[in-house]
């Protein structure tokens, strides 16, 4: 999985501990990335989750390259990657599309079209000319456009694309047509660039409510169990937060040993860094730190 900074939920579905996720947010002593990454930009090799990059669309050629390597090794694993519709205007997106089709890479290329790239409407990335799924045609790639607020439609499309990848039928581009109801970030004020009533007018509705209503209509779910589940999950998150805070929180001193600043960068540490590391350790010992 090579995601953008909006697909952290994948880790939760794969059983990644909430406490570990919160440790990384706090950059505390339990942070497996040792405070070297921005909050929510996770990396978990043991869960098949590639390091998140804040740069837009860089994960696309990385995913295609990984998929090409997997195919070359005769591996059965496939890659999946995501970007927003605005990122399809980046050069990395088009390079990835070219390599994916030429090398028939076993990869699922997801475009989350929430219609707003920060404060730019999707038309700036070409949405007024055609759909983003239609871009697949020009590269000879299978393309789908699905209701991104329909969990079952997304699941079905992903299963189909995964089967294509695993049976050597090549890559698939899936456009998830959805809507960003809130701001791009906590510092973003969406009322500055779109009408105040626009989020409430979105016709496809809330995906969680839609799935809940569908399951209730089938007799597989009910309001009581839904309310109980909401409470159970809220309590689980609170427990994880309290557990993570035992390892420290961001801003309350340094949580990682100084020596770790020299680790995990090079396969073999260069001589000058070894020298600096040894000098720092000696000075800290002499100072009684």
């Amino acid at each position: 999985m090579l995601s953008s900074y909006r697909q952290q939920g994948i880790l939760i579905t794969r059983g990644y501990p909430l406490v570990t996720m919160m440790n990384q947010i706090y950059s505390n002593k339990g942070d497996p990335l040792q405070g070297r990454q921005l909050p929510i930009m996770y990396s978990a090799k043991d869960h098949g989750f590639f390091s998140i990059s804040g740069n837009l669309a860089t994960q696309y050629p990385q995913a295609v390259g990984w998929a090409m390597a997997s195919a070359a090794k005769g591996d059965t694993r496939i890659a999946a990657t995501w970007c927003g519709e605005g990122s399809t205007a980046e050069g990395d997106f088009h390079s990835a599309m070219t390599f994916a089709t030429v090398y028939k890479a076993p990869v699922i290329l997801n475009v989350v079209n929430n219609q707003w790239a920060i404060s730019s409407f999707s038309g700036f990335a070409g949405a007024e000319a055609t759909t983003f799924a239609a871009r697949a045609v020009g590269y000879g790639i299978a393309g789908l456009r699905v209701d991104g607020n329909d969990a079952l439609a997304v699941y079905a499309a992903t299963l189909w694309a995964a089967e294509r990848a695993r049976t050597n039928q090549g890559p698939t581009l899936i456009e998830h047509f959805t809507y960003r109801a809130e701001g791009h970030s906590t510092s973003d004020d969406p009322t500055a660039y779109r009408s105040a009533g626009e989020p409430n007018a979105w016709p496809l509705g809330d995906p969680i409510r839609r799935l809940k209503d569908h399951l209730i209509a089938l007799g597989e779910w009910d309001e009581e169990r839904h309310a109980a589940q909401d409470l159970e999950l809220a309590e689980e998150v609170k427990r994880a937060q309290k557990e993570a805070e035992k390892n420290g929180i961001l801003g309350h001193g340094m949580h990682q040993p100084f020596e770790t600043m020299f680790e995990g960068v090079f396969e073999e540490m260069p001589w000058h860094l070894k020298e600096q590391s040894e000098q720092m350790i000696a000075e800290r010992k002499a100072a009684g730190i």
Side-chain angles (χ1 to χ4, degrees):
M1 299 291 177
L2 293 93
S3 79
S4 73
Y5 44 77
R6 295 193 186 276
Q7 285 78 47
Q8 296 85 353
I10 294 171
L11 274 174
I12 298 175
T13 65
R14 292 188 166 201
Y16 197 69
L18 286 179
V19 173
T20 306
M21 297 179 81
M22 291 184 184
N23 284 335
Q24 194 270 339
I25 291 173
Y26 286 134
S27 292
N28 60 28
K29 65 182 182 181
D31 175 12
L33 303 183
Q34 299 180 312
R36 297 178 177 179
Q37 182 59 288
L38 290 170
I40 75 168
M41 292 192 177
Y42 300 106
S43 177
K45 185 177 181 180
D46 55 341
H47 284 70
F49 195 87
F50 201 84
S51 300
I52 295 177
S53 171
N55 297 320
L56 301 179
T58 54
Q59 65 273 16
Y60 254 63
Q62 292 168 355
V64 172
W66 190 96
M68 290 165 56
S70 178
K73 292 189 297 184
D75 200 340
T76 58
R77 294 181 297 172
I78 65 174
T81 187
W82 288 259
C83 74
E85 83 286 346
S87 297
T88 63
E90 295 283 342
D92 281 341
F93 174 84
H94 298 282
S95 296
M97 295 286 281
T98 299
F99 274 85
T101 187
V102 169
Y103 292 95
K104 211 172 183 179
V107 60
I108 306 173
L109 305 155
N110 297 281
V111 176
V112 181
N113 177 11
N114 64 27
Q115 302 177 56
W116 289 98
I118 308 182
S119 59
S120 300
F121 179 60
S122 59
F124 284 93
E128 293 179 334
T130 186
T131 67
F132 291 99
R135 297 189 177 188
V137 177
Y139 292 96
I141 291 175
L144 292 173
R145 193 188 207 209
V146 300
D147 177 354
N149 286 31
D150 183 340
L152 297 179
V154 171
Y155 181 69
T158 302
L159 279 182
W160 183 76
E163 180 64 18
R164 293 190 74 254
R166 291 193 176 100
T167 55
N168 199 33
Q169 297 182 62
T172 304
L173 174 69
I174 305 176
E175 176 189 353
H176 305 270
F177 188 66
T178 183
Y179 182 79
R180 171 166 63 76
E182 300 294 333
H184 174 77
S185 64
T186 54
S187 61
D188 177 40
D189 178 14
T191 62
Y193 53 84
R194 66 188 190 194
S195 61
E198 186 177 297
N200 296 326
W202 174 241
L204 298 184
D206 179 85
I208 296 176
R209 181 176 297 175
R210 285 177 59 182
L211 181 59
K212 181 192 77 171
D213 292 345
H214 177 68
L215 292 174
I216 290 175
L218 293 176
E220 299 292 338
W221 198 237
D222 54 59
E223 293 286 358
E224 291 73 21
R225 277 188 287 176
H226 194 82
Q229 179 183 255
D230 276 350
L231 180 60
E232 178 187 349
L233 295 177
E235 291 300 320
E236 183 179 346
V237 171
K238 289 178 183 177
R239 286 194 300 271
Q241 179 183 357
K242 290 178 181 178
E243 187 66 28
E245 287 177 352
K246 293 178 183 178
N247 293 318
I249 61 175
L250 189 64
H252 287 194
M254 180 177 291
H255 302 294
Q256 300 293 335
F258 270 108
E259 305 86 77
T260 61
M261 73 172 74
F262 297 96
E263 300 171 358
V265 180
F266 299 95
E267 183 176 1
E268 293 186 15
M269 190 185 300
W271 67 268
H272 65 286
L273 289 186
K274 286 183 179 179
E275 188 177 88
Q276 291 176 29
S277 176
E278 291 168 358
Q279 181 181 354
M280 183 202 67
I281 293 172
E283 290 176 352
R284 284 173 58 78
K285 285 182 178 179
I289 302 175

